[in-house]
Amino acid sequence: MSGPAPAGGHGPVTDLHVHVQPWEMIRPEVLEAMRKGRDDLDLIRRCFADPEALLEHMDGQGVARMVLINYESPDIMGFTTEANDWVLRYVAAAKERLLPCVGINPRFERDVRGRAERLADGGARMFKVHGPHMLVSPNAYLDAHPALRGLYEVAQARRIPVMFHTGTSIFRGARTKHGDPLEVEDVGVDFPDLDVIIAHGGRPFWTEEAFFLLRRFPRFHLDLSGIPPARLLEWFPRLEEIADRVFFGTDWPSPGVPSIARNLAAIRALPLAPALLEKFTSSNALRLLPPR
Ligand SMILES: [Zn+2]
């Protein structure tokens, strides 16, 4: 699976950012926002209930691997830390293709370090810090939540990337101020060996700040999810400068993301060299998150 792309074809695609979550936990008003305008709810429910259904759907969409984003946000989204354990169980049947991402909320967990170690032992491949849904700033280890430091130290020591939501969020109760990418700058300064993923590139109004950080810190990476492909080169005109650290992701099935395959096709249709697009969709992810 990690071999070179066949001549004229594509290497295995990784979608770095999908929300396959235990919907039985989700708050009704969040579910309502997710449902709006979708006609594929049955498919989503089937996929969330059964990893085999998701794998089949991935085959149809042209995706080899996915990172399944979960995190603790009981008051805004409805997900307790049980969502973390849920995703570790969910991926058990296909660990080569389904990579679990978990998130610990220091507002509800005192022993962040201990839980991070246990989740890493359980197979977590990524940690998510969703400021607007956790109501925690990425740099809160400096003041309100000193325990958050434990997460970054564990992730740095075990070479597990940490993904930060940057940019807006529309769900009820979400506080976008915690999505300001400049709050991740402290993390870059204080944890220079940590692999950081800037999800959504700060879109729509912090994209310049996000690009500044991506150029400043060699271990910062850009996840394209949530960025309409048609806007990508307008918001990131110098994308080529960070070409080895850019990743295809869709945020499926979030509002405004009807189909993974359509998103992938739109990325591949951008006026960029095929070698760059191959990095974004395949080889960069195989390097950051190698099959194991
Ligand atoms: Zn997301």
Side-chain angles (χ1 to χ4, degrees):
M1 192 163 108
S2 55
H10 298 294
V13 172
T14 299
D15 185 336
L16 200 74
H17 193 139
V18 299
H19 291 278
V20 172
Q21 300 165 313
W23 267 13
E24 57 273 18
M25 300 179 81
I26 204 167
R27 290 176 68 92
E29 62 270 26
V30 176
L31 188 58
E32 204 39 57
M34 302 279 289
R35 296 179 117 113
K36 231 184 227 161
R38 296 206 82 88
D39 55 7
D40 55 353
L41 278 175
D42 284 349
L43 168 75
I44 293 170
R45 285 191 188 282
R46 264 202 319 281
C47 288
F48 287 15
D50 177 9
E52 292 301 330
L54 178 65
L55 293 168
E56 201 185 307
H57 181 56
M58 289 164 65
D59 291 339
Q61 301 288 299
V63 171
R65 305 195 304 165
M66 280 179 165
V67 179
L68 312 185
I69 310 289
N70 280 268
Y71 53 89
E72 190 176 2
S73 171
D75 47 350
I76 306 300
M77 299 296 281
F79 300 113
T80 66
T81 194
E82 169 56 25
N84 295 323
D85 302 312
W86 178 90
V87 74
L88 294 179
R89 286 195 305 273
Y90 181 94
V91 303
K95 287 185 179 168
E96 285 285 294
R97 300 189 60 188
L98 305 177
L99 285 65
C101 171
V102 299
I104 305 160
N105 190 332
R107 289 175 52 234
F108 300 95
E109 173 63 70
R110 233 178 260 205
D111 183 17
V112 173
R113 179 186 307 275
R115 188 170 291 278
E117 293 281 12
R118 287 194 296 281
L119 291 169
D121 290 342
R125 298 295 308 269
M126 190 184 288
F127 290 109
K128 177 77 178 258
V129 174
H130 199 309
H133 293 174
M134 290 180 169
L135 308 186
V136 168
S137 283
N139 60 1
Y141 61 91
L142 295 172
D143 41 53
H145 300 291
L148 187 57
R149 179 180 295 276
L151 174 73
Y152 301 142
E153 287 178 351
V154 169
Q156 182 170 251
R158 299 181 66 146
R159 307 309 310 267
I160 298 173
V162 179
M163 174 186 281
F164 293 89
H165 175 99
T166 63
T168 51
S169 174
I170 52 141
F171 293 119
R172 182 186 295 179
R175 296 181 193 245
T176 291
K177 65 180 176 185
H178 300 300
D180 183 343
L182 282 185
E183 301 206 337
V184 191
E185 185 184 44
D186 287 316
V187 180
V189 171
D190 294 335
F191 304 92
D193 295 323
L194 179 66
D195 285 311
V196 165
I197 299 166
I198 302 291
H200 320 311
R203 63 87 180 97
F205 44 69
W206 282 314
T207 54
E208 285 184 40
E209 287 87 339
F211 193 68
F212 163 74
L213 297 179
L214 286 156
R215 286 179 56 239
R216 178 174 181 197
F217 299 114
R219 285 197 177 276
F220 275 36
H221 306 74
L222 174 62
D223 154 23
L224 298 179
S225 69
I227 300 174
R231 306 291 302 272
L232 177 59
L233 295 175
E234 172 193 335
W235 285 342
F236 294 96
R238 294 160 66 194
L239 194 62
E240 288 194 29
E241 292 178 27
I242 55 164
D244 291 331
R245 295 181 280 132
V246 176
F247 301 83
F248 170 70
T250 62
D251 220 11
W252 181 82
S254 290
V257 186
S259 143
I260 294 168
R262 226 186 292 170
N263 198 317
L264 181 58
I267 290 286
R268 283 183 171 148
L270 289 171
L272 291 168
L276 284 192
L277 296 169
E278 191 61 19
K279 286 182 181 194
F280 299 173
T281 55
S282 182
S283 57
N284 285 349
L286 290 172
R287 199 176 55 246
L288 183 67
L289 295 164
R292 72 180 191 198

